[in-house]
Amino acid sequence: MDIETLQTDLMAAIGSADTLEALEAVRVSALGKQGSVSALLKTMGGMSPEERQTQGPIINGLRESITTALTAKKADLETAELNRRLATERVDMTLPASDVPRGTVHPVSQVMDELAEIFADMGFAVAEGPEIEDDWHNFTALNIPETHPARAMHDTFYFPDDMARDGQKMVLRTHTSPVQIRTMTSQEPPIRIIAPGRVYRSDSDATHTPMFHQIEGLVIDKGIHLGHLKWTLETFLKAYFEREDVVLRLRPSYFPFTEPSVEVDVGYSVINGKRVIGGAEGWMEVLGSGMVHRKVIEACGLDPDVWQGFAFGTGVDRLAMLKYGMDDLRAFFDGDNRWLQHYGFNALDVPTLSGGVGA
Ligand code: PHE
């Protein structure tokens, strides 16, 4: 075969190769060890100098033109492959996500956000404390000494003795009140905080679960009295239930860490056989509160003749049930998606006072 025909054939083969694999086969057939162009290059060794002078440039020219054509075709095929992938692997960002499963905000999170919003408006900051608490913060500093019957009342989960820290027995906190102690021992008064969080008691039925949620409130300042407590709770409960006709009833009670202690009921009306907050046909207990006991203020290193305050504590799950109408507390912790779809809240519906704290 003459060189011209070989060149024409190879160019045609390069032109019609429509995949990278086919092109590689053409390259091997021309420039590989056994290739047609390689064979021609080898013949140059046996040529006379004159012959080489005429044939040499022709054979080398053939190799160069084939190499150039192969490189150009390879680039073409790679571009075509990229374009094909860009066309077929495109994601349409405008597609509606209608059938995608949607998560909801749990009512406990929703209510905690509502409470944080309401109290932030009254100048309260949010404080936190550990769920694994020592005996001193959970009991002793709150004026509940070792032998006090209130310890039995709390159905405490104790950690084994060998897990004691600094000689203190460790417990799962039974209430959020230890955050009062942690705040007073780490912060200078005046203090205005709320402390929402998980608490634990060994108790379980339709209205009690071993883990539940409380929110604590604490105000420490000069000249604080029961009137401040009553105004704060009234303002909070009206904002939370979003009704002006919320009526409070304060009953004398007992907590070791407050003196005097008051239990707070809210009035309800019965509408279509259902209890609705507002009015005063009946009473429901919603929170415990009182003036912080002198001994508690002293235990935190403050002078009770200078600093006074009030504290309150209530169940977040219970507040959620009263406002949103669930009747079994256990369902809060089942993780049942149907329940969450029914009672859960839209993540974009952030509670605000101006827009209404409830969804
Ligand atoms: N810690 C109390 C409880 O768990 C509630 C409470 C808090 C009462 C603050 C008075 C003051 O029952």
Side-chain angles (χ1 to χ4, degrees):
M1 193 194 303
D2 64 34
I3 291 179
E4 222 170 292
T5 314
L6 179 60
Q7 167 137 5
T8 314
D9 286 357
L10 284 174
M11 285 305 195
I14 292 169
S16 60
D18 52 7
T19 64
L20 286 165
E21 292 75 40
L23 187 68
E24 175 64 7
V26 177
R27 189 193 67 79
V28 171
S29 79
L31 301 170
K33 263 192 191 147
Q34 316 288 329
S36 48
V37 177
S38 306
L40 278 174
L41 287 163
K42 274 182 213 151
T43 61
M44 282 173 30
M47 288 178 186
S48 66
E50 295 77 25
E51 217 180 344
R52 197 179 300 140
Q53 219 159 41
T54 56
Q55 290 299 306
I58 298 174
I59 297 175
N60 276 321
L62 170 68
R63 191 196 49 191
E64 257 163 54
S65 62
I66 296 300
T67 307
T68 308
L70 282 166
T71 309
K73 181 73 183 193
K74 189 170 182 220
D76 282 355
L77 286 173
E78 280 170 351
T79 307
E81 167 67 8
L82 182 65
N83 286 338
R84 188 191 62 74
R85 285 185 48 195
L86 287 175
T88 56
E89 294 176 11
R90 189 171 47 199
V91 177
D92 185 352
M93 305 297 276
T94 66
L95 279 176
S98 56
D99 292 335
V100 176
R102 205 164 37 85
T104 60
V105 173
H106 194 284
V108 170
S109 304
Q110 169 75 16
V111 168
M112 282 184 176
D113 286 350
E114 292 180 17
L115 297 175
E117 174 70 14
I118 291 167
F119 280 104
D121 196 54
M122 291 194 265
F124 286 66
V126 174
E128 284 185 324
E131 289 170 33
I132 297 176
E133 191 51 281
D134 61 59
D135 190 276
W136 188 78
H137 286 91
N138 196 79
F139 292 123
T140 312
L142 286 160
N143 193 32
I144 315 176
E146 197 97 32
T147 52
H148 200 285
R151 289 208 181 194
M153 258 159 57
H154 276 208
D155 302 309
T156 312
F157 286 114
Y158 283 97
F159 281 85
D161 283 342
D162 61 2
M163 290 182 73
R165 223 184 277 160
D166 300 328
Q168 287 288 319
K169 219 171 156 61
M170 302 304 285
V171 301
L172 285 175
R173 66 176 179 191
T174 56
H175 51 178
T176 43
S177 299
V179 185
Q180 289 186 35
I181 305 301
R182 292 198 172 267
T183 308
M184 280 189 271
T185 52
S186 66
Q187 226 166 281
E188 294 283 316
I191 290 168
R192 270 189 258 180
I193 55 115
I194 53 165
R198 296 193 179 105
V199 301
Y200 302 83
R201 291 182 200 177
S202 178
D203 204 352
S204 189
D205 58 39
T207 53
H208 298 87
T209 48
M211 185 278 285
F212 58 106
H213 301 85
Q214 281 192 338
I215 185 162
E216 193 82 8
L218 174 70
V219 168
I220 299 287
D221 207 331
K222 289 176 180 163
I224 299 292
H225 54 72
L226 216 52
H228 295 117
L229 169 63
K230 186 174 185 234
W231 178 87
T232 304
L233 295 181
E234 208 165 73
T235 306
F236 144 51
L237 290 167
K238 282 182 176 172
Y240 176 68
F241 287 110
E242 297 177 88
R243 298 178 69 112
E244 270 306 306
D245 64 348
V246 172
V247 188
L248 267 57
R249 187 172 76 173
L250 272 53
R251 274 182 296 113
S253 182
Y254 174 75
F255 298 102
F257 34 90
T258 47
E259 181 59 36
S261 299
V262 244
E263 226 143 16
V264 180
D265 299 338
V266 288
Y268 62 81
S269 316
V270 181
I271 297 172
N272 297 330
K274 280 197 103 179
R275 289 179 179 188
V276 177
I277 301 293
E281 278 180 52
W283 300 97
M284 253 185 285
E285 184 191 321
V286 288
L287 46 84
S289 64
M291 302 307 294
V292 180
H293 199 293
R294 291 178 64 88
K295 283 194 175 172
V296 174
I297 293 177
E298 252 163 18
C300 295
L302 297 172
D303 181 351
D305 290 325
V306 178
W307 302 107
Q308 304 80 41
F310 63 81
F312 56 88
T314 180
V316 175
D317 319 270
R318 188 169 150 70
L319 282 181
M321 289 168 85
L322 287 177
K323 182 165 172 181
Y324 295 111
M326 308 84 164
D327 50 17
D328 193 333
L329 178 64
R330 288 170 296 198
F332 276 65
F333 310 106
D334 282 345
D336 183 334
N337 206 38
R338 290 162 304 177
W339 188 88
L340 286 166
Q341 288 296 330
H342 184 74
Y343 288 112
F345 294 84
N346 187 324
L348 298 175
D349 254 344
V350 178
T352 60
L353 280 180
S354 53
V357 285

